Short mmCIF file of all heavy atoms in Angstrom, two decimals:
data_model
loop_
_atom_site.label_atom_id
_atom_site.label_comp_id
_atom_site.label_asym_id
_atom_site.label_seq_id
_atom_site.Cartn_x
_atom_site.Cartn_y
_atom_site.Cartn_z
N MET Q 302 154.84 72.17 151.43
CA MET Q 302 155.03 71.68 152.78
C MET Q 302 154.46 70.28 152.95
O MET Q 302 153.53 69.87 152.29
CB MET Q 302 154.43 72.64 153.81
CG MET Q 302 152.90 72.60 153.86
SD MET Q 302 152.29 73.35 155.39
CE MET Q 302 150.52 73.08 155.25
N ARG Q 303 155.01 69.56 153.96
CA ARG Q 303 154.49 68.23 154.33
C ARG Q 303 153.25 68.36 155.19
O ARG Q 303 152.51 67.40 155.37
CB ARG Q 303 155.55 67.46 155.12
CG ARG Q 303 156.85 67.24 154.37
CD ARG Q 303 156.65 66.16 153.30
NE ARG Q 303 157.97 65.65 152.88
CZ ARG Q 303 158.74 66.21 152.00
NH1 ARG Q 303 158.37 67.34 151.40
NH2 ARG Q 303 159.94 65.68 151.69
N GLY Q 304 153.07 69.50 155.82
CA GLY Q 304 151.99 69.71 156.77
C GLY Q 304 152.51 70.47 157.99
O GLY Q 304 153.68 70.90 158.00
N TYR Q 305 151.62 70.64 158.97
CA TYR Q 305 152.02 71.32 160.20
C TYR Q 305 152.38 70.30 161.26
O TYR Q 305 151.59 69.33 161.51
CB TYR Q 305 150.88 72.22 160.70
CG TYR Q 305 150.53 73.33 159.73
CD1 TYR Q 305 149.30 73.36 159.10
CD2 TYR Q 305 151.45 74.34 159.42
CE1 TYR Q 305 148.96 74.38 158.22
CE2 TYR Q 305 151.12 75.39 158.54
CZ TYR Q 305 149.89 75.36 157.95
OH TYR Q 305 149.54 76.37 157.09
N LEU Q 306 153.52 70.47 161.89
CA LEU Q 306 154.03 69.51 162.82
C LEU Q 306 153.00 69.22 163.95
O LEU Q 306 152.59 70.14 164.67
CB LEU Q 306 155.33 70.04 163.44
CG LEU Q 306 156.02 69.17 164.48
CD1 LEU Q 306 156.48 67.85 163.89
CD2 LEU Q 306 157.18 69.91 165.10
N GLY Q 307 152.60 67.94 164.10
CA GLY Q 307 151.73 67.54 165.18
C GLY Q 307 150.32 68.09 165.09
O GLY Q 307 149.57 68.02 166.07
N ARG Q 308 149.93 68.65 163.94
CA ARG Q 308 148.60 69.23 163.78
C ARG Q 308 147.91 68.64 162.54
O ARG Q 308 147.85 69.27 161.51
CB ARG Q 308 148.70 70.75 163.68
CG ARG Q 308 149.00 71.40 165.05
CD ARG Q 308 149.22 72.89 164.90
NE ARG Q 308 149.18 73.57 166.18
CZ ARG Q 308 150.16 73.55 167.09
NH1 ARG Q 308 151.26 72.91 166.84
NH2 ARG Q 308 150.02 74.21 168.23
N SER Q 309 147.41 67.46 162.72
CA SER Q 309 146.80 66.76 161.57
C SER Q 309 145.52 67.45 161.12
O SER Q 309 145.21 67.53 159.93
CB SER Q 309 146.47 65.31 161.96
OG SER Q 309 145.68 65.25 163.09
N ARG Q 310 144.75 68.02 162.05
CA ARG Q 310 143.48 68.64 161.66
C ARG Q 310 143.77 69.93 160.84
O ARG Q 310 143.18 70.14 159.78
CB ARG Q 310 142.65 69.04 162.91
CG ARG Q 310 141.31 69.68 162.60
CD ARG Q 310 140.50 69.93 163.85
NE ARG Q 310 141.18 70.85 164.74
CZ ARG Q 310 141.17 72.21 164.62
NH1 ARG Q 310 140.51 72.73 163.62
NH2 ARG Q 310 141.79 72.94 165.49
N GLU Q 311 144.67 70.77 161.34
CA GLU Q 311 145.02 72.00 160.59
C GLU Q 311 145.67 71.67 159.27
O GLU Q 311 145.41 72.37 158.25
CB GLU Q 311 145.94 72.88 161.43
CG GLU Q 311 145.29 73.55 162.63
CD GLU Q 311 145.42 72.70 163.90
OE1 GLU Q 311 145.61 71.46 163.77
OE2 GLU Q 311 145.39 73.27 165.01
N SER Q 312 146.47 70.59 159.23
CA SER Q 312 147.11 70.21 157.99
C SER Q 312 146.06 69.80 156.96
O SER Q 312 146.12 70.18 155.77
CB SER Q 312 148.10 69.08 158.22
OG SER Q 312 149.12 69.44 159.12
N ALA Q 313 145.06 69.01 157.44
CA ALA Q 313 144.02 68.55 156.50
C ALA Q 313 143.16 69.68 156.05
O ALA Q 313 142.64 69.68 154.91
CB ALA Q 313 143.15 67.52 157.24
N GLU Q 314 142.94 70.70 156.88
CA GLU Q 314 142.14 71.85 156.46
C GLU Q 314 142.85 72.66 155.38
O GLU Q 314 142.24 73.21 154.51
CB GLU Q 314 141.85 72.77 157.68
CG GLU Q 314 140.86 72.17 158.65
CD GLU Q 314 140.71 73.06 159.90
OE1 GLU Q 314 141.48 74.04 160.01
OE2 GLU Q 314 139.86 72.75 160.74
N THR Q 315 144.18 72.73 155.50
CA THR Q 315 144.96 73.53 154.53
C THR Q 315 145.26 72.74 153.27
O THR Q 315 145.18 73.31 152.16
CB THR Q 315 146.30 73.97 155.20
OG1 THR Q 315 146.00 74.72 156.38
CG2 THR Q 315 147.11 74.84 154.26
N LEU Q 316 145.60 71.47 153.39
CA LEU Q 316 145.89 70.64 152.26
C LEU Q 316 144.76 69.70 151.98
O LEU Q 316 144.48 68.78 152.74
CB LEU Q 316 147.17 69.81 152.54
CG LEU Q 316 148.51 70.57 152.58
CD1 LEU Q 316 149.60 69.71 153.19
CD2 LEU Q 316 148.91 71.00 151.19
N ARG Q 317 144.04 69.95 150.88
CA ARG Q 317 142.88 69.13 150.52
C ARG Q 317 143.02 68.62 149.10
O ARG Q 317 143.12 69.44 148.16
CB ARG Q 317 141.60 69.96 150.64
CG ARG Q 317 141.28 70.44 152.03
CD ARG Q 317 140.08 71.35 152.07
NE ARG Q 317 140.34 72.61 152.76
CZ ARG Q 317 139.60 73.72 152.60
NH1 ARG Q 317 138.62 73.70 151.71
NH2 ARG Q 317 139.94 74.80 153.25
N ASP Q 318 143.08 67.32 148.97
CA ASP Q 318 143.17 66.69 147.63
C ASP Q 318 144.35 67.23 146.83
O ASP Q 318 144.28 67.45 145.62
CB ASP Q 318 141.89 66.88 146.83
CG ASP Q 318 140.66 66.23 147.52
OD1 ASP Q 318 140.84 65.13 148.10
OD2 ASP Q 318 139.59 66.86 147.49
N GLY Q 319 145.47 67.49 147.53
CA GLY Q 319 146.65 67.94 146.84
C GLY Q 319 146.71 69.44 146.62
O GLY Q 319 147.71 69.97 146.16
N TRP Q 320 145.64 70.17 147.00
CA TRP Q 320 145.60 71.59 146.85
C TRP Q 320 145.83 72.29 148.19
O TRP Q 320 145.16 71.92 149.17
CB TRP Q 320 144.25 72.06 146.28
CG TRP Q 320 144.06 71.65 144.84
CD1 TRP Q 320 143.56 70.47 144.37
CD2 TRP Q 320 144.34 72.46 143.69
NE1 TRP Q 320 143.54 70.47 143.01
CE2 TRP Q 320 143.99 71.67 142.57
CE3 TRP Q 320 144.85 73.73 143.51
CZ2 TRP Q 320 144.14 72.13 141.26
CZ3 TRP Q 320 144.98 74.22 142.19
CH2 TRP Q 320 144.67 73.42 141.11
N LEU Q 321 146.71 73.27 148.20
CA LEU Q 321 146.95 74.01 149.44
C LEU Q 321 146.10 75.29 149.40
O LEU Q 321 146.23 76.08 148.47
CB LEU Q 321 148.43 74.39 149.56
CG LEU Q 321 148.85 75.00 150.89
CD1 LEU Q 321 150.23 74.50 151.31
CD2 LEU Q 321 148.82 76.54 150.86
N HIS Q 322 145.23 75.44 150.40
CA HIS Q 322 144.33 76.57 150.50
C HIS Q 322 145.04 77.67 151.29
O HIS Q 322 145.28 77.47 152.50
CB HIS Q 322 143.01 76.16 151.09
CG HIS Q 322 142.24 75.20 150.25
ND1 HIS Q 322 141.06 75.50 149.64
CD2 HIS Q 322 142.54 73.89 149.87
CE1 HIS Q 322 140.64 74.47 148.93
NE2 HIS Q 322 141.50 73.48 149.07
N THR Q 323 145.34 78.78 150.67
CA THR Q 323 146.24 79.77 151.20
C THR Q 323 145.59 80.72 152.21
O THR Q 323 146.31 81.31 153.04
CB THR Q 323 146.88 80.63 150.10
OG1 THR Q 323 145.85 81.39 149.47
CG2 THR Q 323 147.59 79.73 149.07
#
Side-chain angles (χ1 to χ4, degrees):
M302 75 163 183
R303 300 286 198 277
Y305 298 114
L306 179 64
R308 286 175 165 76
S309 56
R310 182 177 62 82
E311 289 92 336
S312 299
E314 288 174 354
T315 302
L316 289 166
R317 298 176 231 159
D318 299 322
W320 291 86
L321 189 142
H322 295 248
T323 65

